[in-house]
Amino acid sequence: QVLLEESGGGSVQAGGSLRLSCVASGPSFSSVYRAWFRQLSGTERLGVATISTRNGITYYDDRVKGRFTISQDNAKNTVYLQMNSVKPEDTGMYYCAAGDYYWPRDYWGQGTQVTVSS
């Protein structure tokens, strides 16, 4: 069973930075895509950033483009989300995901809360 575990969430003031991490474990973990999603209570999870584990190509939601960076360390089965110049609207529960599609939804972590205050 594939397990994803996020860390790095917390509270930060607008304009600050946070770095989220997601470690994957389990037998033969080989998902093609890893991604970060954000969810507010009562709403659907929306993709923030995704990365191909094969070639490192990335894609960002327009709302975070230029501020967030997704990266990976395949040797550690870890994906990161560097969040810079954060805004109050970046607040939410951030979930790590993995799978074989561009915005993967096969496997999920438990989530890590990010709260940005103005």
Side-chain angles (χ1 to χ4, degrees):
Q1 180 180 356
V2 173
L3 296 176
L4 303 177
E5 183 172 2
E6 305 97 334
S7 61
S11 297
V12 61
Q13 287 193 324
S17 298
L18 277 177
R19 188 195 196 203
L20 307 183
S21 300
C22 173
V23 180
S25 61
S28 301
F29 178 74
S30 60
S31 293
V32 179
Y33 291 97
R34 302 277 296 275
W36 290 95
F37 288 74
R38 177 174 62 228
Q39 184 176 31
L40 294 175
S41 180
T43 68
E44 65 175 316
R45 292 179 189 181
L46 299 177
V48 173
T50 189
I51 186 168
S52 166
T53 62
R54 299 294 187 261
N55 54 29
I57 292 177
T58 59
Y59 181 80
Y60 299 91
D61 180 82
D62 285 343
R63 288 166 289 190
V64 306
K65 199 173 295 183
R67 299 187 297 118
F68 291 9
T69 301
I70 188 170
S71 62
Q72 62 187 349
D73 184 336
N74 286 342
K76 297 181 179 179
N77 275 343
T78 301
V79 170
Y80 305 96
L81 184 68
Q82 179 66 44
M83 307 168 64
N84 296 330
S85 302
V86 295
K87 304 176 181 180
E89 51 264 42
D90 295 325
T91 292
M93 185 71 79
Y94 282 72
Y95 292 91
C96 175
D100 293 336
Y101 296 97
Y102 197 66
W103 289 109
R105 293 176 181 267
D106 294 337
Y107 306 103
W108 294 96
Q110 81 287 351
T112 186
Q113 177 67 36
V114 171
T115 302
V116 182
S117 57
S118 57

